[in-house]
């Protein structure tokens, strides 16, 4: 998940933001899983956009055209994400590990410390963005 702070606290969870009547805008792939697309549609409404190319979608977040770029599968490679990650971190955002976010919410009931992607550690069984091989 790529995100950029939009004047709101970047650590607020979606439920908290929804209760404050804030709407996310998001970009994702047309090939994203249907359950993810449905959840994003429920949250973003007409502010859900689809595009091709990890670099392009990352730049949409960097430029503030959308709030988040969701990719739930590990099909994006590290070279697609490390430069946008550095830029987003300088802007108060970042790229976090979707699966780890869900695990921490389930386990700890909060996300006080966001699990940013790491580029120097292998994630066992992963390909793409989460793999050391790429």
């Amino acid at each position: 998940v790529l995100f950029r702070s939009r004047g709101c606290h970047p650590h607020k969870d979606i439920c908290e933001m929804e209760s404050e009547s804030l709407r996310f805008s998001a970009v994702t792939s047309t090939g994203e899983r249907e359950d993810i697309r449905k959840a994003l549609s429920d949250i973003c409404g007409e502010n859900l956009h689809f595009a091709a190319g990890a670099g392009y979608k990352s730049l949409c977040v960097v430029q503030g055209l959308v709030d988040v770029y969701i990719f739930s599968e590990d099909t994006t490679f590290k070279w697609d994400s490390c430069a946008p990650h550095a830029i987003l971190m300088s802007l108060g955002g970042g790229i976090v590990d979707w699966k780890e976010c869900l695990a921490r919410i389930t386990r700890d009931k909060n996300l006080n410390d966001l699990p940013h992607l790491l580029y120097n550690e292998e994630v066992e069984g992963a390909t793409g963005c989460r793999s050391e091989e790429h």
Side-chain angles (χ1 to χ4, degrees):
V1 177
L2 283 79
F3 68 93
R4 178 180 176 168
S5 177
R6 189 178 72 171
C8 59
H9 195 280
H11 299 275
K12 288 184 180 179
D13 66 32
I14 290 171
C15 296
E16 186 177 355
M17 294 189 82
E18 204 171 70
S19 71
E20 295 176 1
S21 299
L22 295 175
R23 293 292 272 192
F24 271 117
S25 59
V27 64
T28 193
S29 172
T30 55
E32 184 57 76
R33 293 184 354 219
E34 184 58 36
D35 58 329
I36 301 296
R37 292 174 62 162
K38 169 76 170 94
L40 287 172
S41 180
D42 290 348
I43 293 166
C44 300
E46 64 187 37
N47 294 321
L48 176 60
H49 307 281
F50 299 96
Y56 175 77
K57 289 179 278 207
S58 297
L59 284 175
C60 288
V61 178
V62 168
Q63 293 180 322
L65 301 174
V66 294
D67 298 310
V68 295
Y69 160 31
I70 304 287
F71 55 100
S72 64
E73 301 295 326
D74 57 359
T75 55
T76 300
F77 296 100
K78 287 185 176 184
W79 57 76
D80 293 322
S81 58
C82 61
H85 193 176
I87 295 167
L88 287 167
M89 287 187 76
S90 75
L91 297 170
I95 302 178
V96 296
D97 183 321
W98 175 263
K99 290 177 185 175
E100 183 60 25
C101 282
L102 295 176
R104 287 186 186 185
I105 289 171
T106 301
R107 181 184 66 237
D108 305 333
K109 307 296 185 234
N110 69 54
L111 272 176
N112 290 331
D113 183 30
L114 291 175
H116 284 267
L117 289 185
L118 300 175
Y119 298 92
N120 62 340
E121 294 180 13
E122 182 176 353
V123 176
E124 188 175 325
T127 59
C129 185
R130 298 178 52 183
S131 172
E132 182 63 27
E133 297 172 12
H134 305 284

